[in-house]
Amino acid sequence: MENREFEELSANSKKSDRHKSTPIQAYFNFVKSNLGIGAIVLPFVTYSVGWFWSIFLFLPVAYSCVQSSILLIAVADHLAVDKILYADVIRITLGLKWAFSLDIAIVLQLVGICIAYLIFLTESVTQSLLSIGVEFEKWQSLCMTLLIIFPLSYIKNIHFFHLTSKYGFYAAIMGFLVVLYDCYLRFSKGLYSFDNAINIRNSFHYVGVAILCCEGILTILPIRDSMVNKLDFKMVAINSMITAFGISIFIALITVPIYQSDIKPILIFNLENPYLQFISIVFYSISLLLTYPLQLFPAVQIIERMILEKQSYQEVQQQPQINEFENNQIQNDTENSMFADTKIQIVIRTFSMMSIYFIAYYVPHLSHFLNFMGSIFGSLLQFCFPVLAHMIHFQRTSEPQPKGTYTFVLIVAILAMVLGTIESLRAMM
């Protein structure tokens, strides 16, 4: 009997390993989670600060994002806890009150990102229909997006994105290539200017959006956990971030001298050729649709876990006779389920989506809104919490602490939070 159970448990373990991601799959997952709405708004704010000055603003933000991500991964590796989340790291290192603050920041940050995705998809629908002579109100276009967004929001298994993230990445690249082709056509006609190089006054209108180009901090640990060998993830994460940041800044530096003062808040709406614009909209919409549930995943996972943990504990107390093998089978079956399959999960996801749609309808100017979200919640989540967690955790060990990295990252975070927030609020009022 024991041999049979051991063989079945081994078979389940191998089956579970088949769902684990390879370094390449994790690479595409993490690139895609970083290459979001910030990348198509970055050119607009790049013009406001000047193409040359934007390089000096983007580099410290990108460097800080890489370093803070490495710090978070280091803490998770040292804790060596299976299926650890960002909130778990903060709870273990900083305590329950800080973990609760993190949960609030995560939910608000992801709601903001999802709102931005919906705004883009809504405006894409409106623009596409307008090109064929059909005029839609904002609420009508929002309703059309429900048909695709809602089903995707019920996906609860991150392994699903192993199949889609690569294609989402390719779709984003194809959308950018269409934009670059349009830039080439304009450049060949002499329609370019490098005059707008430096505008220091608008620096903190830029920084928050730049931080949101590095929005993958919340998916770091779920993607790390999905790998066969978690210790390989550090280099995967670094390579993914370099790729995503390189694409974002490259696109911004190419498009700003071409479109100049005519540049629009959403990059792909600058294309005058209706066919090129439509193709670019389709490709990038596909990319964002495949990213949307990946961004929503950590926030919903935290909410579900807070509710379901208590329920699971009560069920275990009522059924003490269940053995470990049966419990593992139940847990594996639950984790391998692709879609939300309990009433609580369905209610949580439905309520979250309805709230996001409601707020999206009343959101102000996209670039100012993104700058506000990035300056406050992006700085907290991407910079402050990882630094504090690493600092506190490794105080208890003999390992050396990178105090220079702590100082640099926190300076960037504080400047972005204070000055970026003030700039955003001033622009929105």
Side-chain angles (χ1 to χ4, degrees), residues 17 39 50 94-95 115 123 154 157 166 220 231 239 275 278-279 297 306 324 327 386 394 398:
D17 284 343
L94 302 179
I115 286 170
E123 293 189 13
Y154 291 97
N157 194 331
K166 180 169 64 174
I220 280 182
L231 297 179
N239 292 331
Y275 299 106
F278 178 77
I279 293 170
F297 180 83
M306 289 167 58
E324 184 178 353
N327 187 57
F394 284 100
S398 59

Side-chain angles (χ1 to χ4, degrees), residues 46-156:
T46 296
Y47 177 80
S48 69
V49 299
W51 63 269
F52 186 73
W53 182 238
S54 70
I55 299 173
F56 291 93
L57 293 175
F58 192 85
L59 288 178
V61 170
Y63 175 79
S64 298
C65 287
V66 173
Q67 291 302 316
S68 61
S69 299
I70 291 172
L71 295 178
L72 183 62
I73 294 168
V75 176
D77 288 343
H78 194 263
L79 289 171
V81 177
D82 193 31
K83 296 179 182 176
I84 192 168
L85 297 175
Y86 194 177
D88 297 325
V89 171
I90 301 303
R91 184 171 62 250
I92 293 169
T93 56
L94 302 179
L96 290 174
K97 291 183 179 179
W98 285 95
F100 180 73
S101 301
L102 177 82
D103 288 342
I104 294 175
I106 286 175
V107 171
L108 293 176
Q109 162 93 336
L110 290 175
V111 164
I113 291 174
C114 291
I115 286 170
Y117 283 8
L118 281 179
I119 292 171
F120 169 80
L121 293 171
T122 300
E123 293 189 13
S124 297
V125 169
T126 304
Q127 195 83 2
S128 300
L129 292 174
L130 193 61
S131 65
I132 59 174
V134 179
E135 188 172 349
F136 262 28
E137 298 290 336
K138 184 177 181 178
W139 69 269
Q140 293 173 310
S141 298
L142 270 172
C143 290
M144 286 192 67
T145 63
L146 282 170
L147 300 175
I148 301 176
I149 290 292
F150 251 69
L152 289 174
S153 302
Y154 291 97
I155 296 172
K156 72 167 190 175

